[in-house]
Amino acid sequence: MPRVEGLGARQAALRMLDAVLRRGHTLEAAASSSSGLAPPDQALAVAIAGETLRRLPDLDALIDGSTRQRLPDDSKARTVLRMALAQKIGLGTPDHAVVATALPLVDGGPRRLVHGVLGNLLRKGVHAAKEPRLPEAVEERWRAAWGEDVVRAAGRQIVRRPPLDLSFVSDDEAQAYAAAHGGISLAPRHVRLESSAITGLEGFEAGRWWVQDLAASLPARLIPAEKRDVLDLCAAPGGKTMQLAAAGHAVTSVDASANRLGRLRENLERTHLAAKLVEADATLWEPERHFDAILLDAPCSATGTFRRHPEVLYRARPAIIADNSALQARLLERAARWLQPGGTLVYSVCSLEPEEGEKIIADFLAGHPDFIVEPPRPGELPDFVTPTPEGFVRILPGLLEEQGGLDGFFIARLVRRG
Ligand SMILES: C[S@@+](CC[C@H](N)C(=O)[O-])C[C@H]1O[C@@H](n2cnc3c(N)ncnc32)[C@H](O)[C@@H]1O
């Protein structure tokens, strides 16, 4: 068979999608285990897999509308068709390249089927969905929790490239950077750039900024300025540790992952900031003293990060959400014991599941009458954040949509009575 240009990238994308959809890996992990490709082919493979995951329900609707018998969800023919259509719709790949790189991925009968279905669809013309869909189970869950408007906004956002948010040590630096690079600043020490490409951006090596979604920068903004001895629990790779250190706190950062703590250490070195690092499982670790403030950014389903990691919507099954909730409740219970009377505890998750946010705090408060919610005070957070009636911060899809949106987040600030 003659060599087909770009086939290696498609083969790698197919393997990545299999690792994500059948084996529950993250796209990043699946991509890092695909070796031997030249960097441009590797980038193309990740782009194809990512684009496929962003548009999966709409791609399936196109495929199902063109096949007499429904193709099994995990069949190779379906995945190859999904990838081909994603390239056409999301990456603007020409028809001949779409077809030429799809057919060698399947043999025998499926090959004829893929050829037929793809030829048909391309002849008719395929377009991006006007109202992009999320996986059905996610739509049902989020419709029940947040309503139809949020589901639709999430659909619009999943197919859009998110902007790049940078956090700075000083606000003067952030404002100067925004002016020099055509960015906008939506909060103190924040700059938003339209392009999501970090490579080559000025100031990274010099440690002037770090990448941090604007929503992810909100929890640390709720740690009172006057508190000095701060525990950052589940801290790596360290976006919040850097914010806390930059604000002048003495920070102890705990994380169970040696790898991720390594990235935290590199981040601190690069930004010339300091924190005490502890590699420990927080369900077993005991500190030597109590802290003035604790930030618990708990491990979670991360469904709020679907704009950059569309696969989270396929990985976050109800059983995984339930396991996360149990761990989050346990971590919160322990963290609460390590707080000085009068101290502040901020709990956050980048999840859009109430079981990992609102419910964790409601259950905790029911068993801890010595803790109360302290809502954000005017001026503590950017104006676009409106606290919930309970005094929590809940960032949902649709917020600041025109400016590129934010990750979904839940944040609660609790104070231990003195
Ligand atoms: C949401 S991420 C933290 C992000 C971080 N706060 C930041 O701003 O960059 C959750 C972290 O929890 C850590 N983790 C998970 N289980 C843990 C445990 N039992 N004890 C300590 N850390 C844990 C993970 O390694 C992961 O780095």
Side-chain angles (χ1 to χ4, degrees), residues 38-379:
D41 282 339
Q42 172 76 356
L44 177 59
V46 172
I48 294 171
E51 213 51 59
T52 305
L53 291 165
R54 284 174 196 283
R55 300 172 188 275
L56 205 68
D58 296 311
L59 302 176
D60 279 344
L62 285 172
I63 295 165
D64 293 339
S66 295
T67 45
R68 244 175 274 135
Q69 262 194 333
R70 197 175 184 284
L71 288 170
D73 276 350
D74 57 0
S75 63
K76 203 186 216 186
R78 181 181 285 278
T79 313
V80 170
L81 283 168
R82 285 167 168 169
M83 280 174 36
L85 296 172
Q87 289 168 71
K88 172 72 185 163
I89 295 171
L91 302 176
T93 310
D95 290 7
H96 64 87
V98 168
V99 177
T101 53
L103 298 185
L105 299 177
V106 275
D107 321 301
R111 187 174 187 152
R112 278 194 297 280
L113 183 135
V114 166
H115 201 177
V117 173
L118 196 52
N120 229 341
L121 282 169
L122 292 176
R123 259 192 311 279
K124 274 197 296 187
V126 288
H127 305 283
K130 283 212 179 68
E131 290 218 323
R133 307 303 300 250
L134 306 172
E136 208 174 316
V138 177
E139 286 199 348
E140 272 171 29
R141 237 174 33 228
W142 291 0
R143 191 174 292 120
W146 315 119
E148 188 63 26
D149 286 353
V150 169
V151 172
R152 291 284 146 253
R156 289 191 295 276
Q157 289 192 329
I158 197 169
V159 295
R160 233 179 254 158
R161 291 285 128 155
L164 182 67
D165 285 332
L166 309 180
S167 283
F168 284 73
V169 173
S170 91
D171 194 44
D172 286 350
E173 280 250 14
Q175 301 309 323
Y177 200 90
H181 293 83
I184 51 168
S185 179
L186 295 164
R189 299 175 296 284
H190 165 261
V191 173
R192 172 163 288 189
L193 300 174
E194 252 177 49
S195 144
S196 55
I198 302 163
T199 323
L201 262 188
E202 189 234 319
F204 179 79
E205 293 301 336
R208 290 176 68 196
W209 48 261
W210 58 95
V211 174
Q212 184 176 40
D213 190 83
L214 179 54
S217 81
L218 300 177
R221 296 176 191 268
L222 291 177
I223 297 289
E226 70 276 8
K227 297 276 164 54
R228 305 316 291 178
D229 195 11
V230 180
L231 175 65
D232 186 4
L233 204 55
C234 302
K240 297 172 190 69
T241 290
M242 288 185 277
Q243 283 179 281
L244 295 168
H249 298 293
V251 189
T252 303
S253 300
V254 177
D255 202 283
S257 158
N259 245 337
R260 290 171 66 96
L261 267 181
R263 281 170 59 200
L264 172 43
R265 189 169 295 111
E266 283 166 19
N267 276 329
L268 287 170
E269 279 168 16
R270 187 173 57 79
T271 52
H272 312 290
L273 293 166
K276 181 181 171 207
L277 306 193
V278 180
E279 181 189 330
D281 179 338
T283 61
L284 306 170
W285 179 72
E286 285 292 341
E288 286 156 3
R289 61 181 192 284
H290 285 64
F291 293 88
D292 298 323
I294 299 178
L295 197 166
L296 168 57
D297 186 35
C300 68
S301 63
T303 48
T305 68
F306 68 88
R307 296 173 309 151
R308 295 191 181 89
H309 306 287
E311 78 274 16
V312 290
L313 301 187
Y314 296 91
R315 302 178 73 222
R317 298 179 201 282
I320 289 182
I321 295 171
D323 285 353
N324 282 328
S325 306
L327 176 61
Q328 289 149 1
R330 203 155 154 225
L331 289 170
L332 181 58
E333 190 66 43
R334 288 180 67 78
R337 284 193 231 148
W338 307 333
L339 194 65
Q340 297 277 19
T344 300
L345 198 168
V346 173
Y347 172 86
S348 61
V349 276
C350 56
S351 162
L352 281 162
E353 317 306 323
E355 295 88 336
E356 299 184 272
E358 289 81 352
K359 182 158 189 320
I360 296 289
I361 298 300
D363 290 352
F364 175 82
L365 289 172
H368 295 81
D370 52 332
F371 278 82
I372 51 166
V373 177
E374 188 177 52
R377 281 183 292 277

